[in-house]
Amino acid sequence: MSPMNRSVDMSADTWILTAQCPSRLGTVDVVTRFLKESRCYITEQQSFDDRLSGGFFIRTEFRPEDDGFDADAFRAAFAPRAAEFAMSFELTAPGTRLPVVIMVSKADHCLNDLLYRYRTGQLPIKIRAVISNHPDLEPLVAWHDIPYHHFPITPETKPEQEAQVWQVVQETGAELVILARYMQVLSSDMCEKLAGRAINIHHSLLPGFKGAKPYHQAYEKGVKLVGATAHYINDDLDEGPIITQGVGAVGHADYPEDLVAKGRDIERLTLARAVALHVERRVFLHDKRTVVFDR
Amino acid sequence: MSPMNRSVDMSADTWILTAQCPSRLGTVDVVTRFLKESRCYITEQQSFDDRLSGGFFIRTEFRPEDDGFDADAFRAAFAPRAAEFAMSFELTAPGTRLPVVIMVSKADHCLNDLLYRYRTGQLPIKIRAVISNHPDLEPLVAWHDIPYHHFPITPETKPEQEAQVWQVVQETGAELVILARYMQVLSSDMCEKLAGRAINIHHSLLPGFKGAKPYHQAYEKGVKLVGATAHYINDDLDEGPIITQGVGAVGHADYPEDLVAKGRDIERLTLARAVALHVERRVFLHDKRTVVFDR
Amino acid sequence: MSPMNRSVDMSADTWILTAQCPSRLGTVDVVTRFLKESRCYITEQQSFDDRLSGGFFIRTEFRPEDDGFDADAFRAAFAPRAAEFAMSFELTAPGTRLPVVIMVSKADHCLNDLLYRYRTGQLPIKIRAVISNHPDLEPLVAWHDIPYHHFPITPETKPEQEAQVWQVVQETGAELVILARYMQVLSSDMCEKLAGRAINIHHSLLPGFKGAKPYHQAYEKGVKLVGATAHYINDDLDEGPIITQGVGAVGHADYPEDLVAKGRDIERLTLARAVALHVERRVFLHDKRTVVFDR
Amino acid sequence: MSPMNRSVDMSADTWILTAQCPSRLGTVDVVTRFLKESRCYITEQQSFDDRLSGGFFIRTEFRPEDDGFDADAFRAAFAPRAAEFAMSFELTAPGTRLPVVIMVSKADHCLNDLLYRYRTGQLPIKIRAVISNHPDLEPLVAWHDIPYHHFPITPETKPEQEAQVWQVVQETGAELVILARYMQVLSSDMCEKLAGRAINIHHSLLPGFKGAKPYHQAYEKGVKLVGATAHYINDDLDEGPIITQGVGAVGHADYPEDLVAKGRDIERLTLARAVALHVERRVFLHDKRTVVFDR
């Protein structure tokens, strides 16, 4: 298991520019030349051109050389150059904390971990709300001064419940939804609305052990490694694009409940790592796969 | 980094018998024969005879076949047989939760992790008190309904402060003291009093980077792996017997503050793992080394 | 990825006794009492009683205290005691080198690794023959003075080819067949004949990516970890009991051929580890799972 | 332990441009603009600007869009632009195989590994000669059709022996010397001559356990992790800039000889990985540290 990503509160003067477009000669140049002309000092840069799918991806950390950097002017000036390459881009300001909503059921190991990193500034997020189909985790969330919404769900009330969820997402301006062991399958409609901005943690090394009770499946199969997979959700259950995976050794003396216990640390580290990668703009979605400029 | 130890609340009917003595023919037999005669059903057993140092170590998990198992009678009956082998032994009842005191300074990542595992029953401990030389972590501890003692320390007041600490340890009946990034060097006298029952986490792969600011030392040296070491304290700073170590990859772009951030996860997992190993009676002290019957 | 197992040439005086039987009170005692009475000095012992399946497993390393240890007499004397527990057991002499046959196709990374460990005494095996359906690896094998059998195979000639393989296994007295990337599916009949004594390496983290071209499957899926699984073969392709698994990180810039390249190290270490565990008598087969007393 | 680097035979049309210079605005642009103007298609790029030391580093993989790419013309045209930034640069052609000399003593695990990767094209090197102070490994090297030089060494003959070594290095045109467990300390003069182009493998996690018999030191200390460090040599023994490190778990039952055995796999993987990083131009030397653009 790798340690967490850097997870810095993005530092005082470091902007992030990310962009992607179809492969073509000059894709790097169009970005770096503009940064140079804008007197932006590049501190870290990674780019990748995918020979099989024909996609180009770049991530740049930079700091303006001069005072009074004007982000809007930067975007406006870069837009026509990007357009020539059919390039989408995003500029992220220093100190940006992404507004998020977390969804949980009863298990609290992932939630507790995210709350801790949030509270101590180790993850550049603002947790705007926690939503659960159970009331159990309210005290933990309340201690962190975060609104807790208990939206029970039954097969019959699922559309109404999802409407409630969606309302919270919209009202809070959440740009990311974290399914921190939510244990409910989202509807196709909800998956579509949250495409590219909802991260789920599944407690197995996907594509192994999809669906329910993966640790019990793992026990039956007698595997010697268990793991967790953080992925963007999509309409196909446990098939969304993978962001990162974690793994740990297990043995014959680990009964299913032991796998569950051992898995908790793997799950929460893997989910926290995926969230860090996402909010630091290190993840690019490309069809069913991701490009991740990790450190 | 390995996932946590099993960390079960020791289950309803599982007793643990641990023993150690000088190497000799029959050491295993004296234990297992007695268990058989006492109608104790062995579910897991590990033993090791150290050819270089001449020490024998055994750990057995068992459940009594009959109702009304009498621990005192068991101890009394086994004592003379053990004595023949100069064997010390310990019997631990199902569901035992070791009373502990945690010592911290200002950093809360290890404390938060231990509190979480304690609160959710993932570590069989009872946290009787938290002691700090700073007031900062009081709210976190208070939320868990645990007494918090703020004992400031200066070079001049060190003896008095340690007397206060010792008083808390005695009054709470703590059987283990966990130095969860306490950042103060204990006096020789204190080390002696706590011999074999105080675990420290040092934020380096000992014996590399002893002493202060190990991550800054690691940065200067340009290492590509950083780690943490959980060890019993002794009078020789950062030289106590090692229980377990954790590690993670780092790179050129990790400045000292990034190493500190990445190290937090390694430290808290390594410390939690060491505490789990200790309270599950998996660790045997033998001179300057440990025997650890891990799973 | 863990380093290799100890892989010692079992030392001058260390015997290994392994046994398994249905769960019952006294299973450990029947073994350890006999060893004591036989004046055998136990240096390492591990036992496990599987609460879910009701199986008991024990592995003991010991050295006789007296000269002239008589293995046949030991076996004869222990047999009736074991019989009372319906216990099967095996006694392995110091310095035993298991006779093996290795089967390969064209890929040589696993074969080369096994040959190296064999040549340098790091694996207690005697390679009696290498069998391949291709001629390519003959020079490598010849340099190690090991017979090389080129048995081509087509769907039509499969029964004849397997008869040739079986003849070599029998004539060489091989007690283990290692499928070191053999790339052919064995017939049900052959699987049955080799039950419990044929180890295969599959280049994925089973049960993920069964069957052909697992690295290409892994690329399509966009996983961030790839691995290898060493398992006993059975009639159900890629479903045999797992002995050990290895894993390594991959990323978006790893094209299928990169996964193949990165996988080689994982495969050969995982296979070598599985063989070491098997020949050191650390692996017990129990239905579809294994008990592995690892170090 | 991570799996090996990609270790491809650099593909048919991929050139590598690496450069470094003091930090300054425009460092990325001067490289990428020139590549664009030269109609070079960038497939992968990484850059890093070290805020603490003020150094800039960039590595680019590219393929020329047009036939008839003229490397000399490229270098000549880029040189004046680079000079403005005091930038040193290196252009590496597709399919380049670095000429190397390997130095060994008696242990063959690292040598065997390098020979295997060389023979199968998994490492883009040409092994021009193997030098040893012992005759033992001659047959292994001879089978690979590589010259083997046996240059015995004593304290008295060290200068003469090093002169012999240096002659081989010069005559073979070796651009890299790999100390694959050579076990001799090179003189200051030799270290200086080989600065930045000699990689050593030390069998510990430096800076822990410098000097002789690190596994025995590790046993004495009772560590739970052992490792290996691949580094450029310099005049200060075991203090050269670190390229990569590997690690593996050990326990109480591992005697010093077991640590030696377990360490072999860690050492050879770590050394092979360092060589791959170096020959793929992923490593930049900067004072006492390295910048490594790993994948």
Side-chain angles (χ1 to χ4, degrees):
Chain A
M1 216 182 326
S2 287
M4 263 292 294
N5 209 52
R6 187 166 46 162
S7 302
V8 289
D9 188 343
M10 282 140 191
S11 74
D13 55 0
T14 302
W15 293 73
I16 300 171
L17 178 65
T18 51
Q20 71 187 86
C21 65
S23 297
R24 198 182 122 186
L25 181 66
T27 48
V28 176
D29 180 66
V30 74
V31 173
T32 52
R33 189 182 297 224
F34 182 76
L35 286 166
K36 166 71 185 318
E37 292 171 5
S38 307
R39 295 187 49 75
C40 293
Y41 191 105
I42 298 174
T43 52
E44 258 187 271
Q45 179 165 295
Q46 284 175 284
S47 76
F48 176 63
D49 187 285
D50 191 334
R51 141 168 81 80
L52 293 188
S53 72
F56 168 77
F57 313 88
I58 189 166
R59 181 184 184 279
T60 299
E61 294 188 11
F62 69 88
R63 57 169 192 266
E65 281 282 276
D66 309 320
D67 289 346
F69 177 76
D70 182 337
D72 289 336
F74 181 99
R75 284 190 193 95
F78 185 52
R81 300 203 192 181
E84 282 182 51
F85 286 78
M87 180 183 277
S88 62
F89 70 92
E90 193 167 13
L91 182 67
T92 305
T96 298
R97 298 181 153 273
L98 204 70
V100 308
V101 162
I102 300 177
M103 298 181 73
V104 293
S105 285
K106 288 181 169 182
D108 68 352
H109 53 286
C110 288
L111 175 64
N112 188 70
D113 194 87
L114 293 169
L115 288 171
Y116 171 71
R117 294 181 202 270
Y118 159 69
R119 176 167 64 80
T120 54
Q122 291 175 46
L123 257 185
I125 57 174
K126 273 178 295 197
I127 304 179
R128 289 278 171 82
V130 174
I131 297 171
S132 178
N133 53 331
H134 294 285
D136 307 53
L137 305 183
E138 200 277 337
L140 175 63
V141 174
W143 189 72
H144 290 83
D145 278 328
I146 296 168
Y148 185 87
H149 303 283
H150 174 211
F151 297 155
I153 189 168
T154 65
E156 293 72 35
T157 64
K158 186 163 180 166
E160 290 77 5
Q161 197 258 13
E162 288 199 341
Q164 290 176 300
V165 171
W166 182 240
Q167 193 179 352
V168 171
V169 170
Q170 285 189 297
E171 288 179 1
T172 58
E175 294 179 31
L176 178 68
V177 173
I178 305 171
L179 305 177
R181 297 294 309 271
Y182 175 54
M183 310 301 282
Q184 296 289 323
V185 179
L186 298 186
S187 69
S188 295
D189 177 56
M190 197 70 177
C191 287
E192 200 171 305
K193 281 175 177 162
L194 294 173
R197 54 184 183 125
I199 297 175
N200 182 50
I201 182 76
H202 183 76
H203 38 314
S204 83
L205 285 169
L206 290 174
F209 308 128
K210 287 184 206 176
K213 290 196 168 281
Y215 292 126
H216 290 75
Q217 295 181 53
Y219 178 82
E220 286 304 318
K221 179 68 189 162
V223 297
K224 303 301 186 185
L225 293 172
V226 296
T229 303
H231 62 93
Y232 291 112
I233 60 164
N234 69 9
D235 197 9
D236 198 354
L237 183 64
D238 297 336
E239 284 283 356
I242 295 171
I243 302 167
T244 189
Q245 298 184 292
V247 71
V250 296
H252 58 265
D254 290 307
Y255 293 111
E257 63 267 28
D258 300 316
L259 299 186
V260 169
K262 284 192 169 183
R264 281 190 201 109
D265 280 336
I266 304 173
E267 291 165 39
R268 63 197 180 105
L269 286 171
T270 303
L271 178 58
R273 183 174 179 78
V275 172
L277 291 167
H278 178 92
V279 299
E280 293 176 5
R281 312 291 178 187
R282 298 181 180 281
V283 190
F284 298 75
L285 254 171
H286 189 52
D287 299 333
K288 295 186 164 181
R289 306 169 80 248
T290 62
V291 169
V292 181
F293 291 131
D294 201 353
R295 297 181 65 227
Chain B
M1 215 181 329
S2 286
M4 264 291 295
N5 210 51
R6 186 167 46 160
S7 303
V8 289
D9 189 342
M10 281 138 193
S11 74
D13 55 358
T14 301
W15 293 73
I16 300 171
L17 178 64
T18 51
Q20 70 187 89
C21 66
S23 297
R24 198 182 122 187
L25 182 67
T27 48
V28 176
D29 179 67
V30 74
V31 172
T32 53
R33 188 182 298 223
F34 182 76
L35 286 166
K36 165 72 186 319
E37 290 172 7
S38 307
R39 295 187 49 76
C40 294
Y41 192 103
I42 298 173
T43 52
E44 258 187 274
Q45 178 166 295
Q46 284 176 285
S47 76
F48 175 63
D49 187 285
D50 190 335
R51 139 167 85 79
L52 293 188
S53 71
F56 168 77
F57 313 87
I58 189 165
R59 181 184 185 278
T60 298
E61 293 188 10
F62 69 88
R63 56 168 193 267
E65 282 282 276
D66 309 319
D67 290 345
F69 178 76
D70 182 338
D72 289 336
F74 181 99
R75 285 189 192 93
F78 185 54
R81 300 201 192 183
E84 282 180 51
F85 285 78
M87 178 182 277
S88 61
F89 70 92
E90 194 168 11
L91 182 67
T92 305
T96 298
R97 299 183 153 272
L98 204 69
V100 308
V101 162
I102 300 177
M103 298 181 74
V104 293
S105 286
K106 288 180 169 182
D108 68 352
H109 53 287
C110 289
L111 175 65
N112 187 71
D113 194 87
L114 293 170
L115 288 170
Y116 171 71
R117 294 180 203 271
Y118 158 70
R119 176 167 64 79
T120 54
Q122 293 174 48
L123 257 186
I125 57 175
K126 273 178 295 197
I127 304 179
R128 290 279 171 82
V130 174
I131 297 171
S132 179
N133 52 332
H134 294 285
D136 308 51
L137 305 182
E138 200 277 337
L140 174 64
V141 173
W143 189 72
H144 289 82
D145 278 328
I146 296 168
Y148 186 85
H149 301 282
H150 175 211
F151 296 154
I153 188 168
T154 65
E156 293 72 35
T157 64
K158 184 162 179 165
E160 290 77 5
Q161 197 257 13
E162 288 199 342
Q164 290 177 300
V165 172
W166 183 241
Q167 193 178 352
V168 171
V169 170
Q170 284 190 297
E171 288 180 1
T172 59
E175 294 180 31
L176 179 68
V177 173
I178 305 171
L179 304 177
R181 298 293 310 270
Y182 175 53
M183 309 302 282
Q184 295 290 322
V185 179
L186 298 186
S187 69
S188 295
D189 176 54
M190 198 68 177
C191 286
E192 200 172 305
K193 280 175 176 161
L194 293 173
R197 54 184 183 126
I199 296 176
N200 183 49
I201 182 76
H202 183 77
H203 37 313
S204 82
L205 284 169
L206 291 175
F209 308 128
K210 287 184 206 176
K213 289 194 169 285
Y215 291 126
H216 290 75
Q217 294 181 54
Y219 178 82
E220 286 304 317
K221 180 66 189 162
V223 296
K224 303 301 186 187
L225 294 172
V226 296
T229 303
H231 62 94
Y232 292 112
I233 61 164
N234 69 9
D235 197 9
D236 198 353
L237 184 63
D238 298 335
E239 284 284 357
I242 295 171
I243 301 169
T244 189
Q245 298 183 294
V247 71
V250 296
H252 58 265
D254 290 306
Y255 293 111
E257 63 268 28
D258 300 315
L259 299 187
V260 169
K262 284 192 169 182
R264 281 189 201 110
D265 280 336
I266 304 173
E267 290 165 41
R268 63 197 181 103
L269 287 171
T270 303
L271 179 58
R273 183 173 178 77
V275 172
L277 291 168
H278 178 92
V279 299
E280 293 176 5
R281 311 292 178 187
R282 297 181 181 280
V283 190
F284 298 75
L285 255 173
H286 189 52
D287 298 333
K288 294 186 166 182
R289 306 169 80 248
T290 62
V291 169
V292 181
F293 290 132
D294 202 353
R295 297 181 65 225
Chain C
M1 217 180 328
S2 286
M4 264 290 296
N5 209 50
R6 187 165 47 161
S7 302
V8 290
D9 188 343
M10 281 140 194
S11 75
D13 57 358
T14 301
W15 293 72
I16 299 170
L17 178 65
T18 51
Q20 71 187 90
C21 66
S23 297
R24 198 180 123 187
L25 181 66
T27 48
V28 175
D29 179 67
V30 74
V31 172
T32 51
R33 187 183 299 223
F34 182 77
L35 286 166
K36 166 71 187 319
E37 291 170 7
S38 306
R39 294 186 51 76
C40 293
Y41 191 105
I42 297 173
T43 52
E44 259 186 271
Q45 178 165 295
Q46 284 175 284
S47 75
F48 176 63
D49 187 285
D50 190 335
R51 144 167 80 80
L52 292 188
S53 71
F56 168 78
F57 312 88
I58 190 166
R59 180 184 185 278
T60 299
E61 294 187 10
F62 68 88
R63 56 169 193 267
E65 281 283 275
D66 309 318
D67 291 345
F69 178 76
D70 182 338
D72 289 337
F74 181 99
R75 285 189 191 94
F78 185 52
R81 300 201 193 184
E84 281 181 52
F85 285 79
M87 179 183 277
S88 62
F89 71 93
E90 194 168 11
L91 182 67
T92 306
T96 298
R97 297 181 153 273
L98 204 70
V100 308
V101 162
I102 300 177
M103 298 181 73
V104 292
S105 285
K106 288 180 169 183
D108 68 352
H109 53 286
C110 289
L111 175 64
N112 188 70
D113 193 87
L114 293 170
L115 287 170
Y116 171 70
R117 293 180 203 270
Y118 159 69
R119 176 167 65 79
T120 55
Q122 292 174 48
L123 257 186
I125 57 174
K126 273 178 295 198
I127 303 178
R128 289 277 170 81
V130 174
I131 296 171
S132 179
N133 52 331
H134 294 285
D136 309 53
L137 305 182
E138 199 278 338
L140 174 64
V141 174
W143 189 72
H144 289 83
D145 280 328
I146 296 168
Y148 186 86
H149 302 282
H150 174 210
F151 297 154
I153 189 169
T154 66
E156 294 71 35
T157 64
K158 185 162 179 166
E160 291 78 4
Q161 198 257 14
E162 288 201 341
Q164 289 176 301
V165 171
W166 182 240
Q167 193 178 352
V168 171
V169 170
Q170 284 190 297
E171 288 179 1
T172 59
E175 294 180 30
L176 179 68
V177 173
I178 304 171
L179 305 177
R181 297 294 309 270
Y182 175 54
M183 311 301 283
Q184 296 290 322
V185 178
L186 298 186
S187 69
S188 295
D189 177 55
M190 198 68 176
C191 286
E192 200 171 307
K193 280 175 177 161
L194 293 173
R197 54 185 183 123
I199 296 175
N200 182 50
I201 182 76
H202 182 77
H203 38 315
S204 82
L205 285 169
L206 290 174
F209 308 129
K210 287 184 205 177
K213 290 194 168 284
Y215 291 126
H216 290 74
Q217 294 182 53
Y219 178 81
E220 286 303 319
K221 179 67 189 162
V223 296
K224 302 301 185 186
L225 294 171
V226 296
T229 303
H231 62 93
Y232 291 112
I233 61 164
N234 69 11
D235 197 8
D236 198 354
L237 183 64
D238 298 335
E239 284 283 357
I242 295 172
I243 301 168
T244 189
Q245 298 184 293
V247 71
V250 297
H252 58 266
D254 290 305
Y255 293 112
E257 63 268 28
D258 300 316
L259 299 187
V260 169
K262 284 192 169 182
R264 281 190 201 109
D265 280 336
I266 304 173
E267 291 165 41
R268 63 199 181 102
L269 286 171
T270 303
L271 178 58
R273 183 174 178 77
V275 172
L277 291 168
H278 178 91
V279 300
E280 293 176 6
R281 312 291 177 187
R282 296 181 181 281
V283 190
F284 297 75
L285 253 172
H286 189 52
D287 299 332
K288 295 187 164 181
R289 306 170 79 247
T290 61
V291 169
V292 181
F293 290 132
D294 201 353
R295 297 180 67 225
Chain D
M1 214 181 329
S2 287
M4 263 291 295
N5 209 51
R6 187 166 46 160
S7 302
V8 290
D9 188 343
M10 282 140 193
S11 74
D13 56 358
T14 302
W15 293 72
I16 300 170
L17 177 65
T18 51
Q20 70 188 90
C21 64
S23 297
R24 198 182 123 187
L25 181 67
T27 48
V28 175
D29 179 67
V30 74
V31 173
T32 52
R33 188 182 299 224
F34 182 76
L35 286 166
K36 167 71 187 318
E37 292 171 6
S38 307
R39 294 186 50 75
C40 294
Y41 192 104
I42 297 173
T43 52
E44 259 186 272
Q45 177 165 297
Q46 285 175 284
S47 76
F48 175 63
D49 188 284
D50 190 336
R51 144 167 80 81
L52 293 188
S53 71
F56 168 77
F57 313 87
I58 190 167
R59 180 184 185 277
T60 298
E61 295 189 10
F62 69 88
R63 56 168 194 266
E65 280 282 276
D66 309 319
D67 289 346
F69 177 76
D70 182 337
D72 289 336
F74 181 100
R75 285 189 192 94
F78 185 52
R81 299 201 193 184
E84 283 181 51
F85 285 78
M87 180 184 277
S88 61
F89 71 92
E90 194 168 11
L91 182 67
T92 305
T96 299
R97 298 183 153 273
L98 204 71
V100 307
V101 162
I102 300 177
M103 299 182 72
V104 292
S105 285
K106 289 180 168 182
D108 67 353
H109 53 285
C110 288
L111 175 64
N112 187 71
D113 194 87
L114 292 170
L115 288 170
Y116 171 72
R117 295 181 202 270
Y118 159 69
R119 176 167 65 78
T120 54
Q122 292 175 46
L123 257 186
I125 57 174
K126 273 179 295 198
I127 304 178
R128 290 278 170 81
V130 174
I131 298 171
S132 179
N133 53 331
H134 294 285
D136 308 51
L137 304 183
E138 200 277 337
L140 174 63
V141 174
W143 188 72
H144 289 82
D145 278 329
I146 296 167
Y148 186 87
H149 301 282
H150 175 211
F151 298 154
I153 189 169
T154 65
E156 294 71 34
T157 65
K158 184 162 179 166
E160 290 78 4
Q161 197 258 14
E162 288 199 341
Q164 289 177 302
V165 171
W166 182 240
Q167 193 178 352
V168 171
V169 170
Q170 285 189 295
E171 288 179 1
T172 58
E175 294 180 31
L176 179 69
V177 173
I178 305 171
L179 304 177
R181 298 293 309 270
Y182 175 53
M183 310 301 283
Q184 297 288 323
V185 178
L186 299 186
S187 68
S188 294
D189 177 54
M190 197 68 177
C191 286
E192 200 171 305
K193 281 174 177 162
L194 294 174
R197 54 184 184 124
I199 296 175
N200 183 49
I201 183 75
H202 182 78
H203 38 314
S204 82
L205 285 169
L206 291 174
F209 308 129
K210 288 184 204 176
K213 290 196 168 282
Y215 291 126
H216 290 74
Q217 294 181 54
Y219 178 82
E220 286 304 318
K221 179 67 189 162
V223 296
K224 303 301 185 185
L225 293 171
V226 296
T229 303
H231 62 93
Y232 292 111
I233 61 165
N234 69 9
D235 198 8
D236 197 353
L237 183 64
D238 298 336
E239 285 283 356
I242 294 171
I243 302 168
T244 190
Q245 298 185 293
V247 71
V250 297
H252 57 266
D254 290 306
Y255 293 110
E257 62 268 27
D258 299 315
L259 298 187
V260 169
K262 285 192 168 182
R264 281 188 200 110
D265 280 335
I266 304 173
E267 291 165 38
R268 63 197 181 103
L269 286 171
T270 303
L271 179 57
R273 183 174 179 78
V275 171
L277 291 168
H278 178 92
V279 300
E280 294 176 4
R281 312 290 179 188
R282 297 180 181 281
V283 190
F284 298 75
L285 254 172
H286 189 52
D287 298 333
K288 295 187 163 181
R289 306 169 80 247
T290 61
V291 169
V292 181
F293 290 133
D294 201 352
R295 296 180 65 227

